[in-house]
Amino acid sequence: MRSDSVKKGMARAPHRSLFKALGFIDEEFERPLIGIAVAKSEIVPGHIHLDTVARAAADGVRMAGGVPVQFPVIGVCDGIAMNHEGMRYSLVTRELIADSIECMVMAHAFDAMIYIPNCDKIVPGMLMAAARLNLPSVFVSGGPMLAGRRDGKPLTLTSIFEAVGAVGAGLMSEAELAGLEDITCPGCGSCSGMFTANSMNCVTEALGLALPGNGTIPAVMAERLRLAKKTGMLVMDVLKKNITPKMILTERAFLNALALDMALGCSTNTALHLPAVAHETGFKLDLDLLNRISAVTPNLCKLSPAGPSAIEDLHAAGGIPAVCSELAKKKLLDLEAPAVYGVFGDALTGAVNKNTEVIRPVESPYSKTGGLAALRGNLAPQGAVVKQSAVAPAMLRHEGPARVFDTEEAAFDAIMGGAIKPGDVIVIRYEGPRGGPGMKEMLSPTSALAGMKLDDKVALITDGRFSGASRGAAIGHVSPEAAEGGPIGLLRDGDAIVIDIEARKLDVRLNPEELERRKAAWKPLPPKVSEGYLARYARQVSSAAQGAVLR
């Protein structure tokens, strides 16, 4: 066992003494040491309950003959960090999480790992760590939050962000907004739509690193704790068979993950995180591959923010196995791809689509192509990403004048001040991985537009990114970013922006000579941050088109 290096032999007496200070007994030194990386904290609603999930996973490990040892992992709540300086510190934690787990695991010689994430960057950060360390590993998330309810209709975090815009437009009173605060987020769990956290937890099922139900069993259900216990027992079997993440995270797994992504209409952030996870395995997952999978994979679900259903509705309809069973009818999945429990097809045993309103049959999808699309053109030579399943049909093709802002805050103030008119294309730049730094999410601007009933009349493009809760013609990850001299940094108010999502195009009506003249005169803005972790991050981070991994 790997852990023998810290517990066996005469020379390890000091080490055993320290273990005994933790309460270990001699019999435990004969058993595998299973690390449990758990992102429990009291600041993230999706993580407040992870100690109970970790305890259940530890029970499973002990039942199967292992010794569980928990250690903490950081996590930022994107909702709380939104629309202020804190959002610069969200994406950047993905690398911190992967690096810190690597340090803990290598320093303490665990034999195998259980990863317990739930929200946003924590899931991909843990996936990156699992791939890098390549120890037998299984994931179990904390599960989604239940939707809030008003007049029998579901509420998600999107609802209250958009309500802010409605108040700004005079369509809702501040008293009504205050009432929404009390009911929108009813308890623990990752926010209840197909936002980034739930997207990544569902995708982890498709990658084959988690048991069925990982992405959809609500946080408050005892079924979630039973899943954690099964995960604890499973990791011991995975250790015995020496099944490691790189045996599972092959091209086959990533193609399955992309297919599920397209069927569900996941967050655009998956286009950042899946390439970053693939990077740890040596597999190149780029935007061209994303488009190839999108071209042949139908969009079967319209979950919030694209539609009215919440994650609990997806679970009741049969969850990820039911979605995958629909895709399997058209042979869009590799059912023989390896998984921690055998092969991926095993997860579909007994799967039934129980609600064709929530999961469309593959024969009658919402669209014949997937939920995400990568765009290219003279405005995004390296690519940009849009959640096309959440775009109003009228905005799939749009041409309008640029309204250019160098910060998210300036754009948000203009929106709330009534300065944006139907037909405009809002451009928010210098918010990319390097320029932000940290590639802020733009949920506040997109939600304000939706609350003002402008989301089907106004487009927004940015070298930053969007929350999975955003909807509308919101095009992010524009690469190269403004801070690297990308064309988005050369735009001026009034430039004609041409968006054609179906043709996968994003252009500005400027000839090459004019772009070259502007490029020659361009000077970058001074760095927004000059010291600390963000400054180091800005020096090392790659393009969004490459997953914003550190060089």
Side-chain angles (χ1 to χ4, degrees):
M1 288 186 291
R2 185 170 178 271
S3 61
D4 286 350
S5 63
V6 295
K7 63 188 186 184
K8 290 286 186 178
M10 180 269 294
R12 296 297 181 259
H15 304 64
R16 290 192 296 275
S17 178
L18 290 167
F19 275 108
K20 288 182 176 180
L22 299 171
F24 273 59
I25 58 176
D26 288 337
E27 287 80 359
E28 288 176 300
F29 296 130
E30 303 302 320
R31 299 182 178 190
L33 200 61
I34 311 301
I36 301 179
V38 55
K40 152 76 178 178
S41 76
E42 295 185 349
I43 191 59
V44 186
H47 292 194
I48 186 70
H49 65 302
L50 291 189
D51 53 339
T52 63
V53 178
R55 203 156 47 238
D59 288 344
V61 169
R62 287 204 180 275
M63 284 190 287
V67 180
V69 180
Q70 298 180 33
F71 62 87
V73 175
I74 65 166
V76 166
C77 177
D78 277 21
I80 294 174
M82 197 69 65
N83 198 28
H84 64 93
E85 182 68 14
M87 182 43 69
R88 301 192 199 285
Y89 288 88
S90 172
L91 178 62
V92 302
T93 63
R94 189 185 68 185
E95 272 60 33
L96 283 175
I97 288 164
D99 292 349
S100 62
I101 291 173
E102 176 189 353
C103 292
M104 289 294 289
V105 172
M106 296 304 293
H108 300 107
F110 295 113
D111 295 301
M113 288 295 302
I114 294 174
Y115 292 93
I116 305 180
N118 213 24
C119 293
D120 299 291
K121 265 51 65 192
I122 297 88
V123 187
M126 287 188 176
L127 285 168
M128 291 165 68
R132 186 185 304 172
L133 291 163
N134 204 33
L135 294 174
S137 301
V138 187
F139 278 66
V140 59
S141 76
M145 183 186 293
L146 295 177
R149 296 280 164 180
R150 183 179 62 176
D151 301 327
K153 296 180 180 179
L155 297 169
T156 69
L157 189 65
T158 300
S159 308
I160 192 158
F161 266 95
E162 291 182 1
V164 173
V167 172
L171 301 174
M172 179 183 287
S173 70
E174 289 193 38
E176 289 176 290
L177 177 64
L180 281 180
E181 288 181 29
D182 295 334
I183 60 175
T184 298
C185 298
C188 66
S190 48
C191 295
S192 55
M194 188 50 75
F195 311 150
T196 304
N198 293 323
S199 294
M200 289 305 303
N201 284 323
C202 289
V203 160
T204 302
E205 284 191 48
L207 288 172
L209 285 175
L211 287 165
N214 180 69
T216 62
I217 299 170
V220 295
M221 286 188 173
E223 187 180 358
R224 173 62 54 180
L225 299 182
R226 296 197 296 270
L227 184 75
K229 287 181 182 178
K230 290 177 182 177
T231 298
M233 298 179 73
L234 176 60
V235 79
M236 297 302 295
D237 185 56
V238 171
L239 173 61
K240 181 179 178 180
K241 295 174 180 175
N242 195 30
I243 300 170
T244 61
K246 285 184 179 176
M247 294 177 182
I248 294 170
L249 294 176
T250 64
E251 180 178 1
R252 302 165 77 181
F254 287 110
L255 293 180
N256 281 346
L258 283 173
L260 177 67
D261 190 333
M262 297 305 159
L264 290 174
C266 288
S267 165
T268 51
N269 281 314
T270 58
L272 274 179
H273 299 322
L274 282 173
V277 177
H279 178 75
E280 295 287 346
T281 72
F283 175 64
K284 184 179 180 182
L285 193 164
D286 58 21
L287 296 182
D288 292 329
L289 179 59
L290 183 149
N291 267 349
R292 289 201 296 274
I293 299 301
S294 181
V296 298
T297 309
N299 177 220
L300 304 181
C301 302
K302 281 199 178 289
L303 301 152
S304 176
S309 300
I311 301 298
E312 65 195 78
D313 301 314
L314 177 61
H315 182 63
I320 301 310
V323 178
C324 290
S325 68
E326 293 290 348
L327 295 177
K329 293 176 184 177
K330 297 287 187 180
K331 302 188 185 307
L332 294 170
L333 294 170
D334 184 344
L335 301 184
E336 296 302 314
V340 286
Y341 43 78
V343 296
F344 182 61
D346 295 340
L348 278 57
T349 302
V352 176
N353 184 354
K354 302 173 185 175
N355 188 338
T356 55
E357 299 271 324
V358 176
I359 305 171
R360 283 277 184 92
V362 74
E363 299 84 4
S364 57
Y366 284 103
S367 68
K368 293 181 180 180
T369 56
L372 298 186
L375 314 183
R376 293 185 190 274
N378 68 354
L379 190 47
Q382 294 177 3
V385 180
V386 63
K387 187 172 184 174
Q388 63 180 352
S389 60
V391 178
M395 294 299 292
L396 290 172
R397 193 185 189 287
H398 179 76
E399 181 171 345
R403 298 294 311 279
V404 182
F405 303 92
D406 289 341
T407 66
E408 178 205 7
E409 291 82 359
F412 182 72
D413 289 344
I415 294 167
M416 295 299 289
I420 302 302
K421 306 302 180 187
D424 286 348
V425 178
I426 300 169
V427 177
I428 303 178
R429 62 191 183 185
Y430 292 99
E431 294 287 14
R434 178 180 170 188
M439 204 176 183
K440 291 163 68 177
E441 288 185 342
M442 306 294 166
L443 179 56
S444 291
T446 59
S447 297
L449 291 172
M452 293 175 169
K453 310 299 183 186
L454 288 172
D455 57 299
D456 60 350
K457 302 175 184 68
V458 172
L460 194 160
I461 67 172
T462 180
D463 53 9
R465 61 197 177 94
F466 294 104
S467 165
S470 289
R471 62 185 172 103
I475 300 168
H477 309 195
V478 173
S479 300
E481 62 176 292
E484 293 187 335
I488 192 172
L490 309 180
L491 295 178
R492 297 172 184 168
D493 276 346
D495 287 341
I497 308 298
V498 182
I499 298 165
D500 193 337
I501 293 172
E502 292 179 337
R504 307 298 192 247
K505 297 289 290 180
L506 180 62
D507 291 295
V508 55
R509 287 199 185 281
L510 295 173
N511 60 45
E513 293 76 19
E514 175 61 19
L515 282 171
E516 283 300 319
R517 279 193 291 272
R518 293 188 186 185
K519 175 72 172 176
W522 173 80
K523 293 182 180 178
L525 294 180
K528 294 176 183 175
V529 179
S530 58
E531 59 186 13
Y533 178 60
L534 286 182
R536 296 199 305 275
Y537 180 89
R539 290 193 294 269
Q540 294 180 280
V541 71
S542 72
S543 162
Q546 299 169 318
V549 297
L550 296 186
R551 298 184 180 98

